[in-house]
């Protein structure tokens, strides 16, 4: 019977085409919205992870207590040995050393005297060792606006907005004025190799990026780092996997009274990111629920109207002797087939659109120019396991329920009414 009903659906376009199209559109929108909201959450989390928090971060105990002050005098020491052990014990993680620093960037004139100055937020990352993971993490190649990336020691990258404010161009020399790990004044000359655009307001206003070893030389931080950030190898924050890493780390490095002993914190424990993640998840779940409910109502009504439009057909079938329950069952079977067809096609289209934006993204940088918090400028979708079946809730369930409700009217048809309809 299923085969017979399927042939009827495929051959009778007037009966099946409109319901299938409605289901396809509703399911496609549901799947795409779900992936879009998941992508916004993931992009917001990963942006903060890439630039600052990591999926986990290792610091000295004292540094962790005063992390907002960037206390490089409390930085981890002997990090090369620590890094070797981390890579051995946690092969599922990728580790990178970083030094955050603040200071003044002084731009001299032709006579070597100060022409302009500006406060800078600095990142010391590995750019010259041959490992390009940090370059990719900061998206430096695509963010480059003028000049080139550093290829020699003593070169610095500046944000495009910051360089224009200081009237500095690639090839010019600038001086970093900061303090060393030991508390003395540090002055170090750099050559501007290029300018970049981060796409986020706070970082574009006054950021510089320097190779890790150059920062160590400038701040007297030999074999030291403010922090070691760790990332899961698939580059997506997973709280369960991170929790396992933290538990193993605490067994390997138990808490002591040593203020320079390494401690670990997760992304959720930094900069109120835990609250941000929970809020975005809650808002996203509520939005998905409302949209799925709305699509369910639309498709429920479509199924209801589809059944009502066929009352004359059902009357004829009853008049020639077909059983009430048989007609009702065939209606439900047809709605199941229509729901499955529409849901499969709608889910496929929604996933294809989401897959494209997952890799290419949607550039909304023009809307983020005046942003005061760290938010991505290019938003991507995120396909998860749930995306493969969430569209079936409105597409299949709601369509069948609507048909079931409309089909109840079949049992109320009277023989006299049927003959009147046939005579008309």
């Amino acid at each position: 019977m299923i085969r017979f009903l399927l042939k009827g659906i495929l051959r009778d376009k007037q009966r099946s085409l409109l319901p299938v199209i409605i289901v396809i559109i509703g399911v496609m929108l549901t799947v795409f919205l779900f992936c879009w909201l998941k992508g916004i959450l993931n992009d917001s989390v990963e942006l903060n992870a890439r630039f600052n928090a990591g999926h986990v971060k290792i610091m000295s105990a004292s540094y962790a207590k005063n992390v907002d002050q960037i206390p490089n005098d409390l930085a981890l020491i002997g990090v090369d040995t620590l890094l070797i052990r981390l890579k051995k014990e946690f092969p599922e993680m990728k580790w990178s050393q970083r030094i955050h620093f603040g200071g003044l960037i002084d731009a001299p004139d032709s006579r070597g005297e100060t022409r302009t100055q500006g406060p800078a937020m600095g990142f010391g990352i590995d750019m010259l060792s041959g490992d390009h993971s940090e370059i990719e993490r900061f998206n430096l190649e695509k963010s480059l606006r003028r000049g080139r990336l550093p290829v020699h020691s003593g070169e610095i990258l500046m944000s495009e907005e910051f360089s224009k404010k200081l009237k500095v161009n690639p090839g010019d020399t600038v001086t970093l004025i900061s303090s060393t790990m030991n508390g003395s004044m540090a002055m170090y000359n750099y050559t501007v190799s290029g300018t970049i655009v981060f796409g986020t307001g706070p970082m574009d206003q006054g950021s510089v990026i320097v190779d890790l070893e150059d920062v160590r030389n400038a701040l007297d931080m030999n074999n030291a780092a403010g922090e070691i950030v760790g990332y899961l190898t698939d580059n997506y924050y997973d709280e369960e996997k991170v929790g396992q890493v933290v538990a193993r780390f605490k067994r390997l490095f138990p808490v002591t009274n040593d203020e320079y002993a390494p401690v670990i914190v997760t992304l959720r424990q930094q900069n109120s990111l835990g609250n941000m993640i929970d809020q975005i998840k809650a808002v996203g779940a509520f939005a998905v629920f409302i949209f799925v409910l709305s699509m369910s109502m639309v498709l429920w009504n479509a199924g209801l109207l589809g059944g009502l439009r066929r009352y004359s057909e059902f009357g004829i079938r009853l008049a020639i002797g077909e059983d009430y329950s048989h007609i009702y069952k065939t209606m439900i079977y047809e709605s199941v087939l229509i729901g499955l067809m529409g849901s499969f096609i709608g889910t496929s289209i929604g996933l294809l659109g989401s897959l494209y934006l997952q890799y290419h993204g949607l550039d909304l940088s023009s809307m983020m120019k005046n942003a005061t918090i760290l938010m991505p400028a290019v938003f991507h979708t995120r396909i998860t396991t749930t995306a493969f079946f969430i569209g079936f809730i409105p597409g299949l369930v709601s369509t069948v329920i609507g048909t079931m409700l409309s089909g109840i009217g079949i049992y109320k048809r009277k023989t006299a009414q049927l003959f009147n309809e046939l005579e008309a």
Side-chain angles (χ1 to χ4, degrees):
M1 185 176 69
I2 299 298
R3 185 178 179 184
F4 173 78
L5 291 174
L6 183 60
K7 285 184 177 180
I9 291 172
L10 295 176
R11 291 175 179 176
D12 189 354
K13 299 293 189 299
Q14 291 183 346
R15 185 177 69 181
S16 62
L17 184 60
L18 182 60
V20 169
I21 290 175
I22 293 174
V23 173
I24 289 173
I25 294 173
V27 172
M28 177 189 67
L29 292 175
T30 300
V31 172
F32 185 80
L33 177 69
F34 176 80
C35 294
W36 177 255
L37 292 175
K38 283 291 182 182
I40 291 176
L41 170 62
N42 183 76
D43 282 349
S44 301
V45 170
E46 289 303 318
L47 182 70
N48 284 278
R50 290 200 312 269
F51 286 133
N52 184 22
H55 294 160
V56 295
K57 182 186 289 185
I58 298 171
M59 303 168 282
S60 72
S62 297
Y63 189 103
K65 293 178 182 178
N66 303 280
V67 64
D68 292 336
Q69 301 173 24
I70 316 178
N72 284 326
D73 56 318
L74 302 174
L76 287 167
I77 56 177
V79 289
D80 290 345
T81 303
L82 177 59
L83 199 60
I84 291 173
R85 188 176 181 187
L86 289 173
K87 290 179 178 179
K88 179 181 178 181
E89 298 290 346
F90 303 94
E92 73 275 27
M93 301 290 292
K94 294 181 287 187
W95 302 96
S96 297
Q97 306 173 59
R98 288 183 184 171
I99 297 175
H100 290 274
F101 61 94
L104 283 175
I105 295 294
D106 182 278
D109 58 19
S110 59
R111 295 176 295 178
E113 298 179 357
T114 298
R115 174 167 49 87
T116 54
Q117 279 185 342
M121 173 177 63
F123 298 87
I125 63 174
D126 181 10
M127 292 190 290
L128 301 180
S129 70
D131 182 357
H132 289 79
S133 58
E134 287 283 79
I135 293 176
E136 294 172 359
R137 206 165 282 138
F138 277 72
N139 198 29
L140 295 182
E141 291 182 345
K142 293 183 179 179
S143 301
L144 193 67
R145 287 297 177 268
R146 292 184 293 157
R148 56 171 175 76
L149 298 182
V151 294
H152 303 293
S153 178
E155 295 184 330
I156 188 173
L157 284 172
M158 299 180 66
S159 66
E160 175 73 6
E161 184 177 335
F162 191 36
S163 70
K164 289 182 177 179
K165 184 166 61 177
L166 297 185
K167 299 179 182 179
V168 172
N169 298 305
D172 292 348
T173 299
V174 296
T175 301
L176 168 66
I177 304 173
S178 186
S179 59
T180 68
M181 184 177 180
N182 300 314
S184 59
M185 179 175 285
M187 299 182 67
Y188 205 88
N189 291 331
Y190 291 102
T191 301
V192 179
S193 66
T195 63
I196 55 177
V197 173
F198 291 100
T200 57
M203 296 188 67
D204 281 328
Q205 290 171 9
S207 295
V208 296
I209 297 180
V210 189
D211 181 64
L212 184 67
E213 292 301 325
D214 280 339
V215 176
R216 283 175 170 164
N217 292 333
L219 306 183
D220 293 336
M221 296 182 65
N222 184 40
N223 198 18
E227 56 197 42
I228 298 175
V229 289
Y231 297 89
L232 295 168
T233 51
D234 60 2
N235 290 325
Y236 289 112
Y237 180 70
D238 186 313
E239 292 191 50
E240 183 178 350
K241 293 179 180 179
V242 166
Q244 295 171 359
V245 170
V246 171
R248 284 160 51 202
F249 181 90
K250 290 182 177 179
R251 288 196 298 269
L252 291 170
F253 300 92
V255 178
T256 67
N257 293 325
D258 183 1
E259 63 179 3
Y260 291 99
V263 296
I264 189 169
V265 294
T266 66
L267 182 145
R268 287 185 64 93
Q269 296 171 320
Q270 304 175 58
N271 304 326
S272 300
L273 289 176
N275 291 333
M276 184 193 80
I277 292 172
D278 291 338
Q279 289 173 4
I280 294 178
K281 280 185 176 180
V283 172
F286 181 73
V288 169
F289 172 76
I290 293 298
F291 191 80
V292 170
L293 183 63
S294 302
M295 285 294 101
S296 298
M297 295 299 293
V298 170
L299 297 179
W300 175 30
N301 282 306
L304 186 63
L305 292 173
L308 294 174
R309 284 199 305 268
R310 297 175 61 190
Y311 267 15
S312 297
E313 172 196 334
F314 299 147
I316 295 173
R317 291 167 64 178
L318 289 170
I320 62 178
E322 192 170 351
D323 186 66
Y324 284 95
S325 61
H326 183 264
I327 295 176
Y328 188 65
K329 289 179 182 178
T330 57
M331 279 183 64
I332 295 174
Y333 291 151
E334 285 181 9
S335 67
V336 169
L337 291 173
I338 290 173
L340 285 174
M341 290 171 58
S343 296
F344 274 117
I345 298 173
T347 298
S348 299
I349 297 173
L351 289 175
L352 286 174
S354 300
L355 183 64
Y356 176 83
L357 286 182
Q358 180 169 300
Y359 286 98
H360 298 281
L362 180 63
D363 189 353
L364 298 178
S365 56
S366 59
M367 301 173 61
M368 299 293 171
K369 288 181 179 179
N370 299 320
T372 57
I373 60 174
L374 199 58
M375 288 291 291
V378 179
F379 288 89
H380 301 78
T381 52
R382 173 86 167 101
I383 298 176
T384 63
T385 305
T386 308
F388 287 87
F389 62 81
I390 193 171
F392 285 81
I393 297 174
L396 178 59
V397 177
S398 299
T399 303
V400 173
I401 292 176
T403 303
M404 290 173 66
L405 291 175
S406 65
I408 295 174
I410 294 173
Y411 291 94
K412 300 178 180 179
R413 308 304 298 277
K414 305 298 181 182
T415 304
Q417 181 183 358
L418 296 176
F419 281 107
N420 287 334
E421 290 177 354
L422 291 173
E423 290 174 359

